[in-house]
């Protein structure tokens, strides 16, 4: 593709140059690359414009004020959005049906459940998010919930070339504020919930929510569908935006208009759901425990129905959903008979939801206790640490505070901040030792919950990523 095809203002000489790719890291620039120079929180990409041009960049997308010599300056007051538009033209075509999910909790489970439901209906489907790129036969880890726009668009185009027709992806607040998912047509967008997270980046809850609302205000197709978990307090804001844009709305939940949850009955390994849709009641056995798993499943069903899925077939498919890695995943059974679960919960609300999901099953066992192992990450929203401790103290019978991903911070200081909210909790810094202690203590009537890292395969300590998998460790100490 010629530069003039992407950017008609490039001029007759430069415009004839062939575009070979895009990069936002000057170290990845090759001859023919279009380089995106953005101001970041820690690094200013404009400082690397000369290096990018020396490496072969033929054009630079940057603010009008940026200094660009020796390459075409594609000036835009929002260079991130501009680069995304250009990259989308370069990488297209994409899967014809794409949906996005945003919210504080539930994104990973919802996109994966959506993929499963599509696959049950015969579609070649994929999902992109925290777990990586997931198709019916492979998984490629990306390392970020929403990868950079170049990686994202190239991955999506690659999936289309492999025959993927339906794609569900996570739209994180970081990704939305940094325009990492622009350019790809989005047929439907879902909102799961809102609670405190990532305030180290956004500053306050208003900015955090505003970032998420971009999915509905700007990214969702003008004729797309907004799927909304109606039971969340902030759902009306999302619905208002959808109405203003003229989007069709599919609302789900106990207060939903389209998929109304009439009843939820607990079973030993799941729950029975009664769902009203279009005046008809449907009953289905969901093989997953927890109210929030039911919520995720209903939002996923809403996305499938919003993109053409048959209502009865989609709801019936909920009975065949498989557990999502690291989301209330039953990892092991202790020698005492106590089940050990692993969950990604790393916010106060998520901790409460995970505990609430397991609590009824503890209640079925005489004298049973819920034993919780958890921590908080370093270099992230420090203000949520004490509230996480408070949530643990309120919902668990035994709480053990341990290390999560301390990153560059002092692990002991992080634990101390968490313990401010849970002064009666036990402190065991070494995560393996904490898990071993919880499993060893668990009696026949107890349940152990290991929270915070879920599917993650490493623990970040300083600049190192040390191999660590909660599920594997739980199995080892329970053996």
């Amino acid at each position: 593709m010629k530069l003039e095809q992407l950017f008609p203002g490039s001029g007759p000489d430069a415009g004839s140059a062939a575009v070979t790719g895009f990069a936002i890291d000057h170290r990845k620039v090759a001859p023919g690359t279009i380089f995106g120079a953005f101001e970041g929180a820690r690094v200013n990409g404009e400082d690397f414009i000369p290096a990018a041009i020396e490496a072969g960049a033929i054009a630079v997308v940057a603010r009008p004020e940026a200094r660009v010599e020796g390459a075409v300056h594609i000036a835009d007051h929002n260079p991130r959005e501009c680069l995304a538009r250009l990259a989308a033209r370069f990488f297209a075509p994409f899967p014809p049906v794409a949906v996005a999910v945003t919210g504080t909790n539930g994104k990973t489970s919802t996109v994966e459940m959506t993929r499963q439901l599509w696959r049950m209906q015969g579609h070649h489907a994929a999902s992109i998010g925290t777990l990586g790129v997931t198709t019916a036969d492979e998984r490629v880890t990306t390392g970020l919930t929403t990868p950079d726009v170049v990686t994202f668009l190239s991955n999506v185009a690659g999936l289309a070339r492999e025959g993927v027709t339906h794609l569900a992806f996570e739209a994180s607040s970081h990704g939305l504020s940094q325009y990492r998912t622009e350019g790809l047509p989005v047929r439907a967008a879902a909102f799961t919930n809102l609670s405190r997270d990532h305030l180290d980046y956004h500053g306050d809850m208003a900015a955090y929510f505003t970032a998420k609302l971009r999915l509905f205000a700007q990214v969702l197709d003008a004729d797309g569908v907004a799927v909304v978990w109606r039971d969340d307090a902030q759902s009306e804001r999302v619905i208002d935006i959808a109405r203003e844009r003229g989007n069709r709305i599919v609302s789900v939940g106990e207060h939903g208009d389209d998929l109304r949850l009439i009843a939820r009955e607990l079973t030993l390994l799941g729950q029975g759901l009664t769902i009203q849709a279009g005046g008809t009641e449907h009953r289905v056995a969901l093989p997953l425990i927890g109210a929030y798993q039911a919520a995720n499943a209903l939002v996923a069903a809403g996305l499938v129905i919003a993109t053409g899925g048959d209502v009865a077939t989609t709801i019936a498919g909920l009975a065949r959903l498989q557990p999502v890695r690291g989301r209330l995943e039953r990892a092991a059974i202790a020698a005492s008979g106590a089940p050990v679960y692993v969950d990604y919960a790393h916010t106060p609300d998520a901790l409460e939801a995970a505990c609430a999901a397991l609590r009824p099953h503890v209640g079925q066992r005489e004298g049973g206790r819920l034993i919780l192992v958890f921590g908080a990450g370093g270099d992230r929203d420090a203000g949520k640490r004490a509230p996480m401790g408070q949530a643990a103290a309120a919902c668990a019978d035994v709480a053990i505070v341990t290390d999560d991903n301390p990153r560059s911070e002092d692990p002991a200081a992080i634990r101390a901040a968490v313990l401010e909210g849970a002064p009666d909790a036990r402190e065991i810094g070494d995560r393996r030792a904490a898990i071993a202690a919880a499993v060893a203590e668990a009696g026949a009537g107890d349940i152990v919950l290991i929270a915070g890292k879920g599917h993650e395969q490493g623990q970040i300590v300083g600049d190192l990523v040390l191999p660590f998998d909660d599920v594997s460790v739980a199995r080892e100490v329970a053996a």
Side-chain angles (χ1 to χ4, degrees), residues 188-231:
F191 171 76
T192 59
N193 51 64
L194 187 81
S195 62
R196 177 175 181 144
D197 204 8
H198 302 306
L199 297 195
D200 55 308
Y201 176 82
H202 295 287
D204 56 40
M205 287 296 294
Y208 175 47
F209 192 26
T210 297
K212 291 191 173 296
L213 290 175
R214 277 204 66 249
L215 177 60
F216 303 91
Q218 300 175 29
V219 178
L220 176 62
D221 290 350
D223 59 350
V225 184
V227 179
V228 183
W229 177 251
R230 193 67 180 272
D231 296 350

Side-chain angles (χ1 to χ4, degrees), residues 112-122 259 271 273 275 282-288 297-298 300-302 304-305 309-323:
E112 172 55 16
M113 290 176 181
T114 302
R115 183 195 69 82
Q116 290 185 35
L117 291 171
W118 273 333
R119 186 173 177 231
M120 292 175 201
Q121 297 183 21
L259 292 178
Q271 50 198 309
L273 306 181
I275 303 164
H282 304 261
R283 291 179 175 81
V284 63
L286 180 69
L288 305 168
L298 282 179
V304 172
I305 293 168
D310 175 74
V311 174
T313 301
T314 301
I315 294 175
L318 299 179
R320 297 165 55 196
L321 287 175
Q322 297 297 309

Side-chain angles (χ1 to χ4, degrees), residues 105-161:
N105 302 309
K107 297 185 294 296
T108 299
S109 294
T110 301
V111 299
E112 172 55 16
M113 290 176 181
T114 302
R115 183 195 69 82
Q116 290 185 35
L117 291 171
W118 273 333
R119 186 173 177 231
M120 292 175 201
Q121 297 183 21
H123 300 299
H124 192 173
S127 63
I128 297 179
T130 305
L131 296 181
V133 180
T134 307
T135 63
D137 53 6
E138 70 175 331
R139 176 175 302 159
V140 180
T141 299
T142 61
L144 290 173
T145 303
T146 312
D148 68 82
V149 66
V150 176
T151 302
F152 176 74
L153 292 174
S154 62
N155 282 344
V156 173
L159 290 171
R161 289 192 296 271

